[in-house]
Amino acid sequence: MDTSKNQTVLVLNCGSSSLKFAIINPESGQQYLSGLAEALTLPEAQISWRFGEDGDKQKAALPSGADHTAALTFLEEQVLHGQQGLLDSLVAVGHRVVNGGEYFSEPVLVNDEVEQIIEKCIPLAPLHNPAHLLGIRAARRLFSSLPHVLVFDTAFHQTMPAAAFRYALPDELYHEHGVRRYGMHGTSHYYVAVKAAEWLGQPVEETNVITAHLGNGASVCAVKNGKSVDTSMGMTPLEGLMMGTRCGNVDPSIVFFMVDELGYTLDQVKDVLNKKSGLLGISGKTSDFRGITQGVEEGDENAKLAFDMFCYRLAKFIASYYVSLGRVDALVFTGGIGENSLMMRSRVLELLAPFGFVEDVKGNEAARFGNGGLITVADSAKAFVIPTNEELVIAQGAARFA
Ligand code: ADP
């Protein structure tokens, strides 16, 4: 890539009813545009964006029922209209893809065959992959002169050994049907693992870290010598930690109980486990961690239980990764909750005291709202807060093909 000019990448992240976009310089990380189209396919579909890192936020209603294609068309025809300099600086489009199965362990240039593989992976990510495909197809039409590159959430975890990625299920479910653990949030785990190695002043290839990406979705990853060797999400994002609305690990027999004894349909069970459980299910009020910590401060017993469960389960997962890694150089917190909740970090470090963690209260207070840092005292096992930057990893992955 020619670094003498300002070259940028358009990063697209299509969710089931949303589309996040950004234009980023993959080397400096500078953002020239960022925005979000929301409520896609619904009457209240809308789009908002801002130029630069602190430009004014602009908003517009999209036509009722607008989908990802309509949102991208609006981006190209309206938002970028008259922004010739920015359009000319684009050298690639990077698309985030949640699940690429076992097909991809690196970013890949899109062609029709790659699109077909994403289609084949729909059963592994039924909400996300169809939305990704809509975005990829529309963007290839609208930005036809640029290379389009897919960057997978699952790619970083393709280095997991079979002992970590297999389920104890009959062999044919894996070999004939791909039933295995894939893991998610790979770009984030990778980014913060590389940063942690930098902060530790050692090569990432010789660094062992446990990374906790805690947002509405949440997962932990054991990174050994810079490679993922285990992670808490599984074949789908439902496995592992307690999350905003997802239950994380439960006894699978609960599904049979709900169907056979309580008369739920399978769709209702799916809805309960994915959308009505986790922090929302236990607190009875909110899936938002700020609401949970506020509830704890106000003495709400259900919020307190949700907080206790979230921290206890997270600490247990982290502890189990000492088995995966042997030696742990640092623990890293990231994602909206990991980057901001002092209360959660303080509790988790307290639970991990047997592993030598001692909170640095001032350090913990200082590391929030985009500021990272060390949050444990000298001589303690090290824990960092590192703000994640998935868009930058996607932009860098895409720029390789420019
Ligand atoms: P997503 O997975 O949707 O990208 P984010 O990484 O943005 O989510 O994280 C969203 C979560 O971060 C929410 O539960 C939100 O309450 C939590 N969060 C954001 N700011 C704070 C804060 N100051 N204190 C506690 N939690 C916070």
Side-chain angles (χ1 to χ4, degrees):
M1 199 181 138
D2 181 359
T3 52
S4 62
K5 289 190 239 133
N6 184 19
Q7 301 197 315
T8 63
V9 174
L10 170 63
V11 175
L12 298 176
N13 179 354
C14 292
S16 52
S17 62
S18 68
L19 190 169
K20 261 196 201 163
F21 53 91
I23 295 184
I24 297 179
N25 180 314
E27 289 179 17
S28 64
Q30 195 174 343
Q31 267 198 16
Y32 295 92
L33 171 73
S34 58
L36 173 69
E38 302 172 84
L40 296 178
T41 71
L42 300 175
E44 61 272 25
Q46 55 169 309
I47 184 166
S48 60
W49 68 96
R50 93 166 16 114
F51 285 103
E53 301 201 345
D54 22 58
D56 289 336
K57 187 166 172 182
Q58 305 182 56
K59 256 188 177 176
L62 290 168
S64 175
D67 64 3
H68 299 73
T69 309
L72 271 173
T73 307
F74 187 94
L75 169 66
E76 202 259 348
E77 288 179 358
Q78 310 282 328
V79 178
L80 291 171
H81 181 73
Q83 301 288 332
Q84 205 51 46
L86 197 51
L87 280 167
D88 290 344
S89 73
L90 288 172
V91 293
V93 182
H95 298 258
R96 175 199 177 210
V97 177
V98 165
N99 200 326
E102 285 186 338
Y103 298 97
F104 306 104
S105 54
E106 291 287 336
V108 64
L109 194 63
V110 185
N111 55 30
D112 294 345
E113 195 190 334
V114 168
E115 272 188 17
Q116 277 161 19
I117 300 176
I118 305 302
E119 204 156 356
K120 223 163 124 180
C121 293
I122 287 178
L124 300 175
L127 291 179
H128 287 94
N129 278 16
H132 297 329
L133 275 170
L134 278 179
I136 293 164
R137 287 175 176 148
R140 282 181 80 191
R141 270 197 313 275
L142 290 163
F143 301 92
S144 57
S145 62
L146 296 173
H148 288 254
V149 180
L150 307 189
V151 180
F152 300 89
D153 266 27
T154 43
F156 182 56
H157 302 300
Q158 280 295 301
T159 46
M160 285 196 288
F165 76 67
R166 285 290 297 273
Y167 291 111
L169 291 168
D171 190 67
E172 69 263 22
L173 281 173
Y174 169 56
H175 279 111
E176 286 166 34
H177 305 288
V179 176
R180 55 157 283 179
R181 310 183 57 253
Y182 292 98
M184 317 284 148
H185 294 141
T187 47
S188 178
H189 290 298
Y190 165 76
Y191 176 81
V192 298
V194 170
K195 276 269 165 222
E198 261 172 52
W199 288 12
L200 289 162
Q202 55 193 64
V204 68
E205 299 78 19
E206 292 166 24
T207 301
N208 291 358
V209 286
I210 300 171
T211 52
H213 176 105
L214 311 170
N216 287 312
S219 68
V220 207
C221 181
V223 183
K224 188 171 194 168
N225 298 326
K227 293 191 159 55
S228 169
V229 292
D230 205 350
T231 192
S232 58
M233 280 182 171
M235 176 158 153
T236 75
L238 191 55
E239 188 179 338
L241 300 176
M242 173 175 177
M243 305 179 214
T245 60
R246 296 188 195 119
C247 59
N249 286 355
V250 293
D251 180 344
S253 296
I254 292 169
V255 174
F256 315 135
F257 178 81
M258 288 172 78
V259 173
D260 296 340
E261 303 295 326
L262 306 181
Y264 281 71
T265 65
L266 278 177
D267 274 346
Q268 287 170 330
V269 175
K270 206 191 278 180
D271 190 54
V272 168
L273 302 192
N274 279 289
K275 299 198 178 139
K276 301 202 168 115
S277 298
L279 297 170
L280 175 64
I282 298 295
S283 73
K285 284 204 180 103
T286 181
S287 63
D288 189 292
F289 209 77
R290 278 167 294 207
I292 299 294
T293 45
Q294 193 184 335
V296 173
E297 279 159 357
E298 290 165 356
D300 178 325
E301 285 304 319
N302 294 334
K304 192 173 166 311
L305 177 61
F307 177 81
D308 289 346
M309 286 175 68
F310 184 92
C311 296
Y312 175 64
R313 289 171 162 231
L314 171 59
K316 276 207 305 185
F317 253 107
I318 292 168
S320 73
Y321 287 163
Y322 276 74
V323 175
S324 320
L325 297 180
R327 184 198 84 235
V328 175
D329 299 324
L331 165 65
V332 181
F333 292 98
T334 194
I337 301 171
E339 290 170 31
N340 293 297
S341 178
L342 315 182
M343 198 193 268
M344 177 280 298
R345 295 188 311 232
S346 184
R347 170 69 65 82
V348 170
L349 292 179
E350 193 183 313
L351 291 166
L352 292 172
F355 296 89
F357 288 94
V358 181
E359 178 191 352
D360 173 356
V361 175
K362 285 222 167 76
N364 194 21
E365 278 169 7
R368 61 195 309 205
F369 307 136
N371 296 314
L374 180 68
I375 60 167
T376 45
V377 298
D379 297 334
S380 154
K382 287 190 171 61
F384 295 126
V385 171
I386 303 183
T388 195
N389 195 341
E390 292 164 280
E391 284 83 8
L392 181 61
V393 177
I394 297 170
Q396 289 171 342
R400 287 196 229 160
F401 295 85

